[in-house]
Amino acid sequence: MTEPAQRIAVIGGGISGLSAAWELSGAVDPSQTQLVVLESDRRWGGKIDSFEFEGSQVDLGPDAFLARRPEAVGLCQELGIEAELVAPSASRAYVCSRGKLRALPSGLVLGVPTRFLPVASSGILPWPGLLRLAMDFIAISPRTSLPKSVGGSQRSQDCSVGDIIRTHMGSQVLDRLVDPLVGGIHAGRAARLSAAATFPQLLQACATGPSLARNLRPPGTPDRAEKPTQPIFLSVQRGLSYLIESLVAQLLSRGISLQLSTTVRSLGRSDGRWVIGLEEADLQADGVVLAVPAPVSASLLASHSAQAASLLGSLEHASVAIVTLAYAKEDVATDLSGTGFVVPAVEGRLLSACTWLSSKWKHLEKHDEVLLRASVGRFGDERFMALDDEELLSAAHAELSEMLDLSGPPLAGNVRRWPGAFPQYAVGHLELVSQLQDSISELRGLALAGAALNGVGIPACIASARAAARKVLADQLRR
Ligand SMILES: Cc1cc2nc3c(=O)[nH]c(=O)nc-3n(C[C@H](O)[C@H](O)[C@H](O)COP(=O)(O)OP(=O)(O)OC[C@H]3O[C@@H](n4cnc5c(N)ncnc54)[C@H](O)[C@@H]3O)c2cc1C
């Protein structure tokens, strides 16, 4: 086989790698440049994976994406699958606080109250916590010197989400509202998560004036709850794996070489080209998009940039598992009209959240069954790792039985573990990413993509992937 004039390789076939390949495939001339995607697993999609459960396609990793960002919706439109997009059919969500499920009040922005009365009547906070929150509304919270600088430049102004909330609203609001909601997105703890990277509006709000609640309140809604007109989240009716299947099918139809079960073991450099070390034969490439988890990128980059490897290697990760369960409808005494509930870490339970799949999504509604998706694990809580699948299923069932008043055993159950799945954006994360990008800027033809950079959500991963693809293409033009 003759070598193509040029080759660009994407390493990693999750949503980031496949999106990078999609961006590249729309830009290169296939007669001049061969595109190849190398994935170590036997399937595409990485953290995106759906399976058939009780006759429906159910997600084992992410089950929705943010619709207010354009990237995921835009990709579905480009692939012609936008008719598959579905919005949740319920909106009410609950928190398990002080031993009971309680509806989350209106007016929360990622768990931060912007209206007092709904929180006061929700029963989520004990009265000392409410009193402390009231101090923020009447703007007599102790003023704070936040944000504190963690570096020298303007972009490094940062502190933890937890520091801001505790200072302005007290630890009860932090523990019972903000931690389970903001922390839940990252499987992290608000006390450690960077405000600049995970909740930048919070930094702006606390710099604007003494009342965080008032500064966060959407403009023009002084006393009414904001009613979203567009869905906040969307999913794919056939499961998010359908997005992956569509991407793969269209990449194949564009002539891209897609290789499963192909682990990249090393990355070298020879005669101005990248040398990708595979089990059988090395592959030479002029451009490389690294779309693998941070520890893998760190080891592949170690011989090219010690700084990049050390920054990537310094990121901590949280492990989680998803337990999917089916129950007979008649065995569930609690009214499940809503999307599900989150569980604050201070409750001490194994479960961190539970999605009521068959109420949240119309296409998963069943005549005689209820489908639940329980999440366990978060940063600093790996108790579930000590349990085997049977034990984890029965522990999840025991907690759900108590919380949802279940009177029968599960009809079916499944455990999916995600070790080290969530990179933790600690204080200073944006500065870390900027140093990381600087440290690889001299590595011509190489770019990084994925959840370790500027957002763990699917839209952010797509954005990072498309930017990485453009960087590699721009480097080709500079040759
Ligand atoms: C349980 C769970 C729930 C989530 N919920 C949501 C949600 O509701 N909404 C949302 O937007 N996001 C959610 N996320 C986050 C989101 O799914 C991920 O951040 C995103 O899918 C990461 O995509 P990626 O392509 O960057 O990485 P990955 O999906 O991890 O893909 C990296 C790929 O690289 C491959 N690889 C690794 N090493 C090598 C190697 N040496 N050679 C070749 N290939 C290699 C891996 O096999 C993998 O396929 C969730 C994540 C999890 C785990």
Side-chain angles (χ1 to χ4, degrees):
M1 203 174 79
T2 54
E3 269 284 301
Q6 280 202 29
R7 180 182 289 121
I8 300 178
V10 176
I11 305 178
I15 187 66
S16 300
L18 294 173
S19 301
W22 180 246
E23 178 77 16
L24 290 164
S25 69
V28 301
D29 173 355
S31 68
Q32 293 299 311
T33 305
Q34 186 197 38
L35 294 180
V36 49
V37 185
L38 309 167
E39 163 58 50
S40 58
D41 208 340
R42 282 177 302 176
R43 61 168 189 88
W44 299 105
K47 311 275 174 348
I48 298 181
D49 194 11
S50 317
F51 82 129
E52 194 181 316
F53 184 71
E54 299 298 274
S56 296
Q57 281 301 112
V58 170
D59 282 301
L60 294 163
D63 77 333
F65 53 73
L66 203 55
R68 286 181 177 172
R69 283 188 64 143
E71 296 87 351
V73 178
L75 182 60
C76 291
Q77 284 165 344
E78 287 170 42
L79 296 170
I81 61 164
E82 67 270 33
E84 286 289 327
L85 294 179
V86 281
S89 52
S91 57
R92 175 168 297 180
Y94 294 78
V95 59
C96 172
S97 184
R98 303 197 286 142
K100 269 177 67 173
L101 285 192
R102 303 169 194 270
L104 283 168
S106 57
L108 297 182
V109 176
L110 277 178
V112 184
T114 63
R115 300 167 69 229
F116 184 73
L117 287 179
V119 181
S121 56
S122 70
I124 293 168
L125 302 182
W127 71 263
L130 271 179
L131 219 57
R132 181 66 186 80
L133 173 62
M135 288 166 69
D136 179 75
F137 276 86
I138 55 176
I140 57 167
S141 271
R143 284 307 305 270
T144 164
S145 58
L146 301 170
K148 87 169 187 268
S149 174
V150 293
S153 64
Q154 187 62 31
R155 70 185 171 208
S156 67
Q157 298 289 304
D158 199 4
C159 61
S160 79
V161 170
D163 277 349
I164 296 179
I165 300 300
R166 194 181 296 104
T167 310
H168 283 262
M169 296 180 160
S171 55
Q172 291 290 333
V173 171
L174 172 63
D175 291 345
R176 300 191 174 275
L177 286 168
V178 180
D179 192 45
L181 287 166
V182 178
I185 298 170
H186 300 268
R189 300 302 308 270
R192 295 173 51 94
L193 288 171
S194 150
T198 66
F199 200 168
Q201 309 92 299
L202 207 55
L203 277 182
Q204 282 153 22
C206 73
T208 310
S211 167
L212 193 61
R214 290 200 214 154
N215 299 335
L216 262 186
R217 194 180 288 167
T221 55
D223 290 312
R224 284 186 306 277
E226 190 196 16
K227 271 258 175 283
T229 46
Q230 298 291 322
I232 298 173
F233 293 101
L234 286 171
S235 192
V236 177
Q237 201 157 174
R238 297 189 222 184
L240 282 170
S241 284
Y242 186 63
L243 166 60
I244 298 296
E245 284 162 31
S246 308
L247 251 177
V248 166
Q250 297 204 30
L251 286 168
L252 284 172
S253 74
R254 287 183 175 186
I256 314 304
S257 167
L258 298 177
Q259 300 179 20
L260 285 173
S261 305
T262 308
T263 301
V264 173
R265 302 188 185 280
S266 61
L267 194 58
R269 197 94 175 118
S270 170
D271 295 335
R273 298 188 89 194
W274 293 100
V275 183
I276 298 167
L278 304 174
E279 196 160 326
E280 303 205 325
D282 291 350
L283 190 71
Q284 303 239 338
D286 307 279
V288 171
V289 175
L290 266 183
V292 287
V296 183
S297 297
S299 85
L300 292 177
L301 284 176
S303 59
H304 305 284
S305 167
Q307 192 193 8
S310 143
L311 291 166
L312 284 161
S314 71
L315 286 173
E316 295 186 285
H317 289 76
S319 300
V320 300
I322 299 293
V323 184
T324 313
L325 293 150
Y327 290 94
K329 234 177 206 170
E330 64 206 24
D331 289 342
V332 185
T334 303
D335 172 15
L336 297 189
S337 32
T339 58
F341 61 86
V342 290
V343 187
V346 285
E347 293 288 314
R349 292 183 182 269
L350 198 63
L351 260 55
S352 56
C354 177
T355 303
W356 301 339
L357 289 176
S358 43
S359 328
K360 179 174 176 182
W361 304 108
K362 186 92 192 133
H363 62 280
L364 297 181
E365 194 179 329
K366 303 265 164 220
H367 168 63
D368 50 1
E369 280 183 27
V370 164
L371 305 187
L372 303 177
R373 166 189 155 109
S375 308
V376 297
R378 58 184 123 210
F379 190 74
D381 178 7
E382 296 194 338
R383 285 173 292 166
F384 78 90
M385 305 261 261
L387 305 177
D388 67 23
D389 286 1
E390 278 304 308
E391 290 167 334
L392 185 49
L393 272 168
S394 75
H397 167 66
E399 288 199 359
L400 288 168
S401 295
E402 189 192 329
M403 289 192 245
L404 301 179
D405 209 356
L406 306 176
S407 56
L411 304 175
N414 179 75
V415 171
R416 178 56 182 269
R417 293 169 191 266
W418 295 105
F422 283 89
Q424 299 295 299
Y425 292 3
V427 174
H429 182 77
L430 295 186
E431 184 66 18
L432 179 149
V433 172
S434 135
Q435 286 174 12
L436 178 60
Q437 297 291 16
D438 286 350
S439 68
I440 60 161
S441 62
E442 293 309 312
L443 301 178
R444 181 166 285 194
L446 182 127
L448 285 171
L453 302 176
N454 292 307
V456 295
I458 292 170
C461 288
I462 297 171
S464 82
R466 296 191 107 147
R470 288 193 296 271
K471 193 237 172 206
V472 167
L473 290 170
D475 282 0
Q476 302 303 303
L477 292 176
R478 286 199 291 134
R479 274 154 59 96

